[in-house]
Amino acid sequence: MTADDRAYVGLVLVSHSAAVASAVAELARGLAGGGPTAPLAAAGGTPDGGLGTSSELIADAARAVDRGAGVALLVDLGSAVLTVKALLAEGDELPAGARLVDAPFLEGAVAALVTASAGGDLDAVAAAASEAYGYRKE
């Protein structure tokens, strides 16, 4: 089995801004170190490039990163949470095993990607992302 065949947990970063989601994804990839990383997609903004969230963009991103080990969705602000919760409630828009993760957006994304890239399962990825709330900056 090659690294590309591994059943990584996929990650989706949901932001109200396409630029923010892409920048956080780029930073997380850069900080995750060398070697193969788990699949990561940015789902930011609306289809026309505006600010907001899009069920369609989120669902497409989740399907794109799904490798059969689950998909962790990290979100930036309130309505992004509501959009992901609505998709999860519908039950057929997101891959099986998709989960909204309560975590800080940037720090959680880095911790989740590092853990997923090391082969962590969905529970481990969600825990690592959530633990980022405790990172002290003083």
Side-chain angles (χ1 to χ4, degrees):
M1 173 184 298
T2 68
D4 290 336
D5 296 332
R6 193 176 314 164
Y8 288 112
V9 171
L11 304 170
V12 177
L13 303 180
V14 181
S15 175
H16 285 70
S17 163
V20 168
S22 294
V24 171
E26 179 183 350
L27 181 61
R29 282 187 194 101
L31 295 176
T37 58
L40 172 65
T46 60
D48 65 359
L51 295 177
T53 56
S54 162
S55 295
E56 180 181 340
L57 292 177
I58 296 165
D60 288 348
R63 285 189 292 272
V65 301
D66 182 25
R67 300 293 183 275
V71 175
L73 295 112
L74 285 85
V75 301
D76 64 355
L77 300 170
S79 67
V81 174
L82 297 175
T83 302
V84 171
K85 283 184 175 184
L87 285 167
L88 289 167
E90 290 174 20
D92 61 349
E93 294 295 317
L94 297 175
R99 183 186 304 178
L100 174 62
V101 176
D102 182 15
F105 193 60
L106 174 58
E107 294 92 335
V110 173
L113 184 59
V114 168
T115 303
S117 298
D121 65 11
L122 185 56
D123 288 337
V125 169
S130 294
E131 288 169 6
Y133 276 126
Y135 294 173
R136 302 290 308 163
K137 297 178 182 177
E138 54 184 9

